[in-house]
Amino acid sequence: MEKNFYFKHDASAFSDAKLMSLIKQEGMTGYGIYWIILEFLRMQREYAASYVMLSHLSRRANTSSKRLMRIISDYDLFVLTDDYFYSPGLSERMAAHDRVVSSCRAHGLLSGPAKTLNFTQSLAQPALPLHQE
């Protein structure tokens, strides 16, 4: 079973000027490819991917590597470095998400021993009688 990866996005993404430009040039297929790229980045370490992955990703998106690279590079939706690319919007959203997850994990780790201690202390105490005379 594959792990379920979550990411938050704006319900108004469709109205973003950069995405409107992408849709005008690439059609709704281009918009779908954009979301495939984001979903792919969400599953990567640091939410970034190497250009080496483009041929794999283009096969999964059922498009050409050339079109995929055009969507990544021509609409100012992604940041490109010499070795990899990423979405600044996804990175920001995931940083906030990761902070919440880390906080919950830390609180869970702290509460575990306290719950165990309370449970063992309650076992050590004698039971109260149901009816007192």
Side-chain angles (χ1 to χ4, degrees):
M1 187 168 149
E2 209 172 296
K3 184 176 179 183
N4 187 10
F5 292 93
Y6 166 85
F7 73 98
K8 187 176 182 178
H9 77 277
D10 294 333
S12 61
F14 184 77
S15 300
D16 178 82
K18 294 174 187 177
L19 287 173
M20 289 171 60
S21 176
L22 171 103
I23 293 166
K24 183 177 180 182
Q25 297 299 314
E26 305 288 340
M28 290 306 289
T29 300
Y31 186 65
I33 292 169
Y34 165 77
W35 284 106
I36 289 170
I37 295 167
L38 280 186
E39 290 171 359
F40 177 76
L41 289 174
R42 166 56 183 100
M43 295 184 291
Q44 305 308 304
R45 284 184 64 132
E46 309 285 323
Y47 312 113
S50 166
Y51 299 113
V52 173
M53 297 300 295
L54 290 180
S55 62
H56 165 72
L57 188 54
S58 66
R59 283 192 302 276
R60 292 197 57 201
N62 197 25
T63 192
S64 68
S65 293
K66 183 178 178 180
R67 185 176 197 189
L68 190 69
M69 191 59 202
R70 187 172 62 239
I71 291 169
I72 291 169
S73 63
D74 289 2
Y75 299 97
D76 200 28
L77 294 163
F78 300 94
V79 172
L80 288 74
T81 71
D82 290 339
D83 301 321
Y84 60 92
F85 65 97
Y86 66 94
S87 163
L90 176 66
S91 295
E92 289 170 19
R93 285 176 179 81
M94 292 312 303
H97 174 76
D98 291 344
R99 282 191 299 274
V100 170
V101 168
S102 291
S103 175
C104 290
R105 185 173 292 127
H107 285 95
L109 290 173
L110 292 173
S111 70
K115 287 180 182 175
T116 302
L117 181 62
N118 287 340
F119 179 72
T120 50
Q121 285 175 348
S122 69
L123 289 177
Q125 294 177 0
L128 295 174
L130 292 177
H131 299 285
Q132 288 187 346
E133 293 182 22

